[in-house]
Amino acid sequence: MRGHPVFRVKDGRKEQGNLAMKSEAIREQYPYLYETHLHTSEASACARNTGEEMARACKEYGYTGIFVTDHNWGGNTCVDGSLSWDAWVDQFCLGYERAKAEGDRIGLDVFFGYEAGYDATEFLVYGIDQAWMKIHPELRHISVEEQYELVHGAGGLVMHAHPYREEAYIPKVRLFPDWVDGVEGINAAHHWYAGTSRDKTVFDKRAVAYAGEHGFPLSAGSDIHSTNLFGGGMAFRRRLRSGADYVQAVLGGEDYVMTDGKVWYDKYGRCISDD
């Protein structure tokens, strides 16, 4: 892009001249940082903090904005499945609504999304809202393919969350290249979890390679479940206006960088930081 520095890649690191960029320089160029994968205790059974608490923690950390992406009916939700559809949606959205109210108060942009589960294969859905969910009660029963078509009809975005993650709750890795718009290539949870001898960063390496093979855009998020933040996410040169704006930025090939909270990557998943 005109006016941007020219890089070359060597030994897996992206360099400008002979030096990779310092994190401070990257943040100067991309000052607007967003957490794209965040859970709240109002709707996600695995989360430990409320939407309000998560919003405050992310603001204090330095995020410009967050996407609340709680587990839906097919995932690890804590919302009562016996509720009517409208009541279920209202309860499901409480974490987002409380985060949004607090974000409006403290100056943090809060956008809506959710993480859709299909027998532990999960997708991050953006660019839709609660009103759209309420008029589509069939969401509870549709297939991965039908989800993609329905979300696209609303101008939304479907990103395959941590596609190569291997855990006890995941029966097997399943890929749906014809039914996603992109791939979560950097999941900070794979970089920060301790107490295991497994190298979970390999899950991200495989995801980045998979995206490259198919020409998919990448996203990055922390998959955070408490106020013990990992610092992952995506940083842009401009402030995003809405969830729909994020959809257009990703699908339109806009310039952004990604981080696992320690290392910075370009939008193709190549390391660009030296610290």
Side-chain angles (χ1 to χ4, degrees), residues 54-174:
M54 296 299 288
R56 284 199 299 268
C58 287
K59 174 65 175 180
E60 291 171 4
Y61 185 89
Y63 284 101
T64 303
I66 61 175
F67 290 81
V68 175
T69 56
D70 279 314
H71 290 291
N72 76 345
W73 47 91
N76 195 18
T77 184
C78 59
V79 182
D80 184 357
S82 68
L83 293 171
S84 69
W85 177 243
D86 279 9
W88 193 95
V89 172
D90 287 340
Q91 181 67 36
F92 177 74
C93 294
L94 277 180
Y96 160 74
E97 290 175 350
R98 290 169 179 170
K100 179 72 165 62
E102 183 66 6
D104 289 347
R105 187 184 73 82
I106 63 179
L108 178 79
D109 295 334
V110 178
F111 304 127
F112 180 74
Y114 62 79
E115 187 168 16
Y118 290 86
D119 195 19
T121 299
E122 295 176 307
F123 305 89
L124 293 162
V125 177
Y126 305 98
I128 46 79
D129 59 21
Q130 305 98 300
W132 175 83
M133 290 180 69
K134 283 194 172 183
I135 63 174
H136 290 289
E138 70 272 26
L139 282 166
R140 270 181 166 169
H141 309 293
I142 59 176
S143 66
V144 171
E145 295 83 357
E146 291 167 332
Q147 170 186 256
Y148 180 77
E149 298 291 352
L150 195 60
V151 171
H152 265 246
L157 175 75
V158 179
M159 302 291 283
H160 195 151
H162 43 71
Y164 285 92
R165 177 179 288 176
E166 298 175 9
E167 296 293 349
Y169 73 92
I170 302 175
K172 65 178 180 178
V173 169
R174 297 185 299 162

Side-chain angles (χ1 to χ4, degrees), residues 11-267:
D11 298 329
R13 297 182 67 87
K14 193 176 182 187
E15 300 182 343
Q16 180 182 12
N18 293 320
L19 296 174
M21 298 177 69
K22 292 285 188 183
S23 294
E24 293 82 359
I26 294 170
R27 287 307 312 278
E28 287 178 2
Q29 292 186 35
Y30 301 88
Y32 302 101
L33 178 64
Y34 295 86
E35 174 60 83
T36 68
H37 192 162
L38 177 150
H39 298 276
T40 72
S41 60
E42 284 91 346
S44 294
C46 43
R48 297 194 295 275
N49 289 99
T50 66
E52 181 180 358
E53 292 167 337
M54 296 299 288
R56 284 199 299 268
C58 287
K59 174 65 175 180
E60 291 171 4
Y61 185 89
Y63 284 101
T64 303
I66 61 175
F67 290 81
V68 175
T69 56
D70 279 314
H71 290 291
N72 76 345
W73 47 91
N76 195 18
T77 184
C78 59
V79 182
D80 184 357
S82 68
L83 293 171
S84 69
W85 177 243
D86 279 9
W88 193 95
V89 172
D90 287 340
Q91 181 67 36
F92 177 74
C93 294
L94 277 180
Y96 160 74
E97 290 175 350
R98 290 169 179 170
K100 179 72 165 62
E102 183 66 6
D104 289 347
R105 187 184 73 82
I106 63 179
L108 178 79
D109 295 334
V110 178
F111 304 127
F112 180 74
Y114 62 79
E115 187 168 16
Y118 290 86
D119 195 19
T121 299
E122 295 176 307
F123 305 89
L124 293 162
V125 177
Y126 305 98
I128 46 79
D129 59 21
Q130 305 98 300
W132 175 83
M133 290 180 69
K134 283 194 172 183
I135 63 174
H136 290 289
E138 70 272 26
L139 282 166
R140 270 181 166 169
H141 309 293
I142 59 176
S143 66
V144 171
E145 295 83 357
E146 291 167 332
Q147 170 186 256
Y148 180 77
E149 298 291 352
L150 195 60
V151 171
H152 265 246
L157 175 75
V158 179
M159 302 291 283
H160 195 151
H162 43 71
Y164 285 92
R165 177 179 288 176
E166 298 175 9
E167 296 293 349
Y169 73 92
I170 302 175
K172 65 178 180 178
V173 169
R174 297 185 299 162
L175 303 176
F176 294 84
D178 293 328
W179 307 106
V180 298
D181 296 300
V183 174
E184 184 185 52
I186 306 297
N187 185 295
H190 297 157
H191 298 251
W192 282 85
Y193 283 164
T196 177
S197 60
R198 299 170 63 198
D199 177 15
K200 296 186 178 184
T201 62
V202 70
F203 305 155
D204 284 1
K205 293 172 186 175
R206 291 170 183 165
V208 169
Y210 169 58
E213 291 170 5
H214 292 273
F216 287 141
L218 291 168
S219 68
S222 292
D223 201 354
I224 203 73
H225 291 71
S226 75
T227 55
N228 181 25
L229 303 184
F230 296 157
M234 301 166 68
F236 293 81
R237 293 181 180 272
R238 65 175 181 89
R239 191 167 195 149
L240 299 176
R241 299 183 298 273
S242 63
D245 193 21
Y246 171 70
V247 172
Q248 291 304 312
V250 173
L251 295 181
E254 187 165 321
D255 188 27
Y256 58 83
V257 293
M258 308 182 295
T259 183
D260 57 21
K262 299 177 182 178
V263 178
W264 287 90
Y265 307 84
D266 68 9
K267 68 178 184 177

